[in-house]
Amino acid sequence: MLEENEIQFPKLGIDLQIDSTAFSIFGIDIQWYGLLITCGLLLAMVYAFRNMRSYGVHPDRAIDAIIGGIIGAIVGARAYYVILEWDSYAGDWKRIFNLRLGGLAIYGGLIGALIVGCLIAKIRKVRLLPLLDLCGAGFLLGQGIGRWGNFFNQEAFGCNTNSIFGMTGGRIQSWISDVYPTTTFYHNFGETLDAATPVHPCFLYESVWCLLGFVLLAICGKKWRKFDGQIFLMYIGWYGLGRFFIEGLRVDSLVIGSMRISQMIAAICVVVSVILLIVINGRVRRMGEEYQLYCNTDACKAMMIEIDSKHNETKKEKTQTKTVDTLSFQTEETDVSATEPKQAEKKSSAETDSDSHHE
């Protein structure tokens, strides 16, 4: 058996000692899991903000929808996981709110993000489909980075394998020996695992798949986007396709009976996205030049001109304020300079009078 924090990739000759705790602040342990998820979210937001204009999304209004979507994603991901694993949380309410040890379900996160984000987008009058396109590629970037949190926690792995990428670790071996026999997955599927044999690093497969998808969708969004909503549908299909096969390797899946829930949802996502892409693309082709991406419409161009105008006015006001402050400072310096000679004259006169009196 390996040490708790030891992780190995035997056929690659890699042997690491990695603690799941990154550092501590005021006695509070900060986990790599949370740091990497946060990093993924931030990079996804950076990508979104850098490309808002090209998608015709109002930056000031969209930020509210994006932040709301992130909050909804965290709540939804946790709620989804807790509901499906309720037996593990029913007697301990504090564990429900402890996110540092994992327990977030991506599909729950997507549902939460869409509900909250779309609601705020409607209130803030943000065009929904261009915003979803923008977020689709961002989701893949965030997921691709966030999945490495599972590496530090030694989780989200699959069945035994002789693959060159097979991995093992102290926590993995302990989980297989002590926890796996008690899981619903084991009781429903009956698949045996050997703690001494490496397992599939499913987190790695999914991370690579997501990052590759991000590159493809980012390129497609700039060069081949034909209609609003296309990139988001491609995201749903791309992620669902990869997740369907990767989920089939995992042994920690959330299950109902003999059905892996995430695998079923993934299959539905692929089918629905492909059908919608074909149907909508056909309709757009028939419309020809009558159809325009929102970013190419007169309404969007007028909105961007208004944004630029307000930005320029704000910049001009700041410049004027800075100029006024500079002039005021220079005036104060001039007043001080003019006062100093007079004070010097008075002092000199006083000294002369004093000398005369002394004589």
Side-chain angles (χ1 to χ4, degrees):
M1 295 288 288
L2 301 177
E3 297 179 7
E4 180 181 0
N5 293 329
E6 187 174 5
I7 299 175
Q8 290 184 351
F9 290 83
K11 292 193 175 182
L12 294 175
I14 298 174
D15 191 337
L16 305 170
Q17 285 286 342
I18 298 179
D19 195 333
S20 60
T21 300
F23 53 87
S24 298
I25 299 179
F26 304 117
I28 300 176
D29 292 337
I30 306 300
Q31 305 295 318
W32 281 110
Y33 182 85
L35 283 177
L36 286 164
I37 288 179
T38 302
C39 180
L41 288 173
L42 290 175
L43 288 177
M45 288 179 67
V46 169
Y47 170 80
F49 286 122
R50 286 178 63 90
N51 291 276
M52 281 186 178
R53 289 184 66 93
S54 62
Y55 280 77
V57 175
H58 195 298
D60 296 335
R61 298 174 185 172
I63 188 172
D64 296 336
I66 290 176
I67 293 175
I70 291 173
I71 296 173
I74 295 172
V75 174
R78 187 58 171 174
Y80 184 100
Y81 186 89
V82 169
I83 290 171
L84 293 177
E85 289 287 299
W86 181 246
D87 292 340
S88 301
Y89 293 91
D92 189 357
W93 285 90
K94 291 182 179 179
R95 285 188 62 216
I96 295 176
F97 302 98
N98 185 6
L99 304 181
R100 292 181 297 163
L101 299 178
L104 299 174
I106 183 60
Y107 284 114
L110 288 174
I111 293 170
L114 288 175
I115 291 174
V116 178
C118 291
L119 179 61
I120 296 176
K122 185 174 182 179
I123 294 172
R124 294 288 284 142
K125 298 180 180 180
V126 179
R127 292 294 291 241
L128 186 57
L129 291 181
L131 179 61
L132 289 177
D133 276 343
L134 192 60
C135 291
F139 283 157
L140 286 176
L141 177 60
Q143 290 169 231
I145 295 171
R147 270 301 175 193
W148 280 91
N150 301 128
F151 168 71
F152 287 93
N153 279 357
Q154 298 186 39
E155 60 189 5
F157 53 83
C159 55
N160 293 132
T161 180
N162 290 320
S163 165
I164 189 175
F165 298 109
M167 71 174 290
T168 188
R171 292 186 182 183
I172 292 174
Q173 292 178 344
S174 296
W175 189 87
I176 291 174
S177 300
D178 303 331
V179 179
Y180 179 63
T182 68
T183 62
T184 304
F185 181 90
Y186 175 75
H187 289 299
N188 291 12
F189 283 77
E191 185 171 345
T192 58
L193 291 178
D194 180 7
T197 303
V199 295
H200 281 287
C202 293
F203 78 90
L204 174 61
Y205 303 156
E206 189 167 327
S207 176
V208 172
W209 182 257
C210 287
L211 293 176
L212 177 60
F214 164 71
V215 174
L216 293 176
L217 263 62
I219 294 173
C220 184
K222 288 186 176 183
K223 296 185 177 182
W224 302 301
R225 189 163 66 106
K226 302 298 183 183
F227 58 87
D228 293 317
Q230 178 184 355
I231 302 301
F232 184 74
L233 288 175
M234 291 176 67
Y235 158 71
I236 294 295
W238 178 270
Y239 180 71
L241 180 63
R243 185 62 184 265
F244 178 82
F245 290 103
I246 294 170
E247 191 69 23
L249 298 174
R250 290 179 61 168
V251 291
D252 60 346
S253 302
L254 299 173
V255 299
I256 296 179
S258 59
M259 178 178 61
R260 288 180 170 91
I261 298 173
S262 291
Q263 193 173 39
M264 177 194 68
I265 295 176
I268 293 173
C269 286
V270 173
V271 173
V272 171
S273 64
V274 170
I275 291 175
L276 289 177
L277 282 168
I278 293 173
V279 171
I280 297 174
N281 189 60
R283 181 178 297 177
V284 169
R285 282 187 176 182
R286 289 193 296 271
M287 291 178 66
E289 295 182 358
E290 292 182 13
Y291 180 84
Q292 282 185 312
L293 289 167
Y294 177 68
C295 62
N296 295 329
T297 62
D298 293 337
C300 180
K301 292 176 182 178
M303 180 183 70
M304 291 303 168
I305 291 173
E306 181 182 354
I307 293 173
D308 291 338
S309 177
K310 289 182 178 180
H311 176 74
N312 291 333
E313 286 179 5
T314 303
K315 188 176 180 180
K316 185 177 179 180
E317 289 175 359
K318 289 181 178 180
T319 302
Q320 290 175 344
T321 302
K322 186 176 180 180
T323 302
V324 170
D325 292 340
T326 302
L327 290 173
S328 298
F329 179 74
Q330 290 175 347
T331 302
E332 289 175 2
E333 284 188 328
T334 303
D335 293 341
V336 171
S337 299
T339 304
E340 286 178 351
K342 293 181 180 179
Q343 291 177 343
E345 289 177 4
K346 289 181 180 180
K347 183 176 181 183
S348 177
S349 177
E351 288 177 350
T352 302
D353 293 342
S354 176
D355 290 343
S356 299
H357 179 73
H358 179 71
E359 290 175 355

